[in-house]
Structure formats: C-alpha cells, structure tokens
Amino acid sequence: MSDASTPAPHASASIRGLHKSYGPVEVLKGIDLEVAAGEVVCLIGPSGSGKSTLLRCVNLLESPQRGTIEVAGHEVTDPEADLDLARRSVGMVFQQFNLFPHLTVLENCNVAQRKVLKRSRAEASETSRRNLELVGLADKTDRYPDQLSGGQQQRVAIARALSMDPQLMLFDEPTSALDPETVGDVLAVMRSLAERGMTMLVVTHEMAFARDVADRVAFMDGGVVVEEGPAAEVIGAPQQERTQRFLSRVLNPTGVEAPED
C-alpha cells in the first residue's frame, strides 16, 4: 500500500493474443497491444468494435477466453493471480459516473480507500482532498452528486479513481454522457494527468484529444486492431482504407469533429 503522500509508480501494460467471446459472438479476435509506462494510448473506432470490452478485460471485469494481460510485469490473467491485488493497480473511469448519491464528494472518494486499502479516515481524506484539488473541485467536498453538473461528477469519479493510487488509468469514453459545455473540463483534467506521466489507455471519440494528447492511437474495428501508430500519423495520414473511411465520417474537411452517423 502506498503512503497517502507518495504517488504509485506508473505501470506498463502488455496485451497479447487476447480473445473474448459472448456465446457464439467473438468480440475480440486476438488483440496485441503494448502500453509503455507513462504512455497515453487512445483506442478509436466505431461502436461495437470491441474497444470497451478490451478495457473491461484489462480491469478483469471481463474474463478473456484466451491470451494474456500483464500490468506492471504481473500477469493478471494467470489463474493463480490475486484479482483484488491486480485490480488495485488499475483505475477505471466509466461513461457513467457511478457515484453514490447518498454520500458527499469527499465520502465518495474516501469509501474505497477505507474499505480496500484500510486507510484511516484522516489519511483517506488527505488523499481525496489532494486529488479533488487536482481535478479542480477542492471547494466541492461537502456537495452531493445531484448538486453537481455532469462534468463535475465525472471529475469526482476521476479523483476517486486516482485516490486508490493506480499505476494505470483506463478511461471508457469518459465524455460521452456529458453536455458539450462540460466536455472540455474533463478533457483538461485528462491532459494534466498525461502531462504528469500517468499511464493511460483511453477509449474516446474525441479525435482532437487523441491527436493532441495520445502518444499512440490504435484504430479498432471488428474485434481487431486495424491500424496503430503515432497519433499524428494514424489520425492525420491513416494508411488503411477502413481507418480512412472511419475518420472521414467523424472529421469534416477542416478537421473539426462531427458525429459519426
């Protein structure tokens, strides 16, 4: 367990030959993906391409049928792996905020620290306040979720995940449920995490964010990685026809984002 004042080291992640099926439907068809420590990798692609399922496998919310996942050098897909210990090193932010409505912002950030990491109330609160300040919500500790905007709730969810001292952060379309006015605040927090060297694997439809912040971008379609490389290359000059068609539908000729139909 990390000391409340000492951030956890950043982890690498390695995904090899990952297969995941739901009944007869094969959702992931042999995914290979590497995320270096301190690197930001964005997953882009159409809905149903397997991006969210891949994240859920990394966080062990879903169990793959075949393949291996290593986080910080530990194979989390090993049948003998300690799942609780493995999950502690990985933070996840979902599309929906999943905050406890009856708890204050501070209590939402404290609860997992106290139950899982066994921190004292004072230690948990110190960590929570530090992370709430990081996401720009230091003045909202006593508010309840229904007193916050969607963007503020998502930033609380990010602070809550960070308060567990993760070595790897997963983001599953964290802005998809937000009003356009609040999207920028959440993306700004994610940019600041990238600048601080946090290892991040991000599923997003925000192409400008992916282009500007990601070290690498992987385009997924049909359960496979179709194209992968530096963000500027994959988004600015994609080599694969399927990537080109996808990007032509989500970007207009000026490069400003437009929704995919």
Side-chain angles (χ1 to χ4, degrees):
M1 181 173 62
S2 299
D3 182 86
S5 62
T6 305
H10 305 306
S12 60
S14 178
I15 301 162
R16 299 189 186 96
L18 201 69
H19 289 258
K20 174 64 182 177
S21 298
Y22 297 102
V25 180
E26 191 174 21
V27 179
L28 300 178
K29 304 174 182 178
I31 299 292
D32 294 309
L33 188 67
E34 302 288 332
V35 184
E39 188 176 34
V40 178
V41 175
C42 283
L43 302 176
I44 65 172
S47 298
S49 59
K51 306 183 302 295
S52 294
T53 300
L54 176 58
L55 252 60
R56 292 176 67 85
C57 285
V58 173
N59 201 32
L60 304 174
L61 295 174
E62 301 283 356
S63 298
Q65 275 78 27
R66 289 170 23 221
T68 61
I69 300 169
E70 291 185 4
V71 177
H74 300 289
E75 185 184 335
V76 299
T77 44
D78 187 327
E80 303 299 319
D82 183 333
L83 296 187
D84 290 335
L85 185 61
R87 287 193 179 108
R88 288 184 199 177
S89 65
V90 181
M92 188 160 183
V93 177
F94 300 87
Q95 297 179 34
Q96 302 298 328
F97 324 123
N98 299 327
L99 300 178
F100 293 110
H102 63 291
L103 298 181
T104 65
V105 164
L106 186 65
E107 291 167 341
N108 263 282
C109 293
N110 281 1
V111 62
Q113 295 182 70
R114 301 205 65 202
K115 290 182 177 295
V116 178
L117 302 182
K118 307 302 182 185
R119 287 176 175 163
S120 67
R121 185 183 302 275
E123 185 182 18
S125 294
E126 178 187 351
T127 302
S128 297
R129 290 179 188 278
R130 185 178 68 247
N131 286 303
L132 287 166
E133 182 175 5
L134 179 67
V135 302
L137 294 174
D139 61 338
K140 306 295 186 186
T141 55
D142 296 328
R143 300 289 180 90
Y144 288 88
D146 65 0
Q147 297 175 306
L148 304 176
S149 69
Q152 290 172 328
Q153 290 185 62
Q154 190 63 294
R155 284 188 280 156
V156 172
I158 294 173
R160 177 180 60 185
L162 291 173
S163 294
M164 297 297 288
D165 296 336
Q167 301 177 50
L168 168 67
M169 282 287 287
L170 309 177
F171 292 87
D172 188 8
E173 297 190 34
T175 61
S176 64
L178 302 181
D179 294 329
E181 290 183 351
T182 63
V183 167
D185 292 336
V186 172
L187 293 180
V189 169
M190 294 171 65
R191 287 173 188 266
S192 71
L193 293 179
E195 291 168 357
R196 292 162 64 94
M198 174 62 75
T199 311
M200 297 162 59
L201 185 57
V202 183
V203 173
T204 186
H205 288 294
E206 302 286 346
M207 293 301 127
F209 173 85
R211 182 183 57 235
D212 296 343
V213 178
D215 297 291
R216 285 186 297 117
V217 166
F219 171 70
M220 289 183 63
D221 190 29
V224 300
V225 175
V226 176
E227 185 167 355
E228 177 190 348
E233 293 180 11
V234 173
I235 295 177
Q239 300 300 303
Q240 300 297 319
E241 180 185 0
R242 180 64 187 97
T243 316
Q244 294 168 2
R245 284 191 285 118
F246 171 79
L247 288 169
S248 71
R249 296 180 67 183
V250 298
L251 298 174
N252 68 25
T254 63
V256 179
E257 293 175 46
E260 183 184 25
D261 54 35

